[in-house]
Amino acid sequence: MAGVVVDRIRRWRPHVVLTFGADGGVNLHRDHTMISAVATAAFHWAARRELFPGDAPAWSPCKLYYASTPFVSVRDRPELTNSPTTPWSLTLELGELAERKAEAFSKHHTQQGVLERVGKDRIRHMKFERYLLAAKRGTSSVTEDVSMLTDIPDG
């Protein structure tokens, strides 16, 4: 699975890779945890030609972010609402795109239970996206500015 994601990174050449945190996201889902592990490995491995050699040249994205939520909602497990979650270092206000995001999310039929559990809080929370800077090309400190786009080089 990591090889498939490495290939996509090399072909699409993104500057930023977004994935779930290892917590499993808003519903602590094991699939979210696994894709986090796969995407994290692929982020690091895409620059290493010896790993998954193929037609696309090696590529090193600039930043890896983990998505975060300010709450947890697990079906039939209210005791998990205080579970450890991924913190965030960046908040994006979606503005008018929040409504479009909510509409798209509502079409994801397997997530209807989450939508019902979150209820009206969903509208408030979907106005923002939160991310943790998990890796960055070059060296840096956690106290440095972690803005998403200001230091991404061209190319």
Side-chain angles (χ1 to χ4, degrees), residues 8-150:
R8 296 305 191 280
I9 289 172
R10 288 176 179 165
R11 290 181 190 281
W12 297 339
R13 301 172 61 90
H15 290 286
V16 175
V17 173
L18 304 173
T19 188
F20 292 99
D23 58 356
V26 67
N27 59 357
L28 308 178
H29 200 285
R30 63 182 178 241
D31 290 350
H32 298 169
T33 298
M34 293 312 298
I35 197 58
S36 174
V38 167
T40 298
F43 171 87
H44 293 286
W45 294 348
R48 297 176 57 190
R49 286 185 203 94
E50 72 276 12
L51 297 175
F52 307 105
D55 297 333
W59 175 254
S60 180
C62 299
K63 295 181 180 184
L64 171 67
Y65 281 92
Y66 292 153
S68 178
T69 59
F71 63 92
V72 171
S73 179
V74 180
R75 180 181 53 216
D76 302 325
R77 300 292 305 276
E79 74 277 10
L80 294 177
T81 58
N82 290 322
S83 294
T85 61
T86 301
W88 60 87
S89 57
L90 172 71
T91 301
L92 298 177
E93 185 172 357
L94 297 180
E96 61 189 40
L97 295 175
E99 189 174 311
R100 192 168 190 193
K101 176 185 174 182
E103 180 184 330
F105 197 83
S106 70
K107 302 214 184 286
H108 193 23
H109 298 292
T110 62
Q111 299 301 308
Q112 294 308 309
V114 174
L115 293 173
E116 290 170 14
R117 283 192 307 279
V118 175
K120 292 180 183 178
D121 284 340
R122 158 176 72 105
I123 296 165
R124 180 171 48 96
H125 290 301
M126 282 195 163
K127 292 180 180 180
F128 300 92
E129 290 187 353
R130 295 162 180 85
Y131 299 95
L132 173 67
L133 178 61
K136 178 181 173 186
R137 191 185 311 165
T139 59
S140 63
S141 164
V142 295
T143 60
E144 288 182 13
D145 175 21
V146 293
S147 62
M148 186 161 171
L149 299 174
T150 58

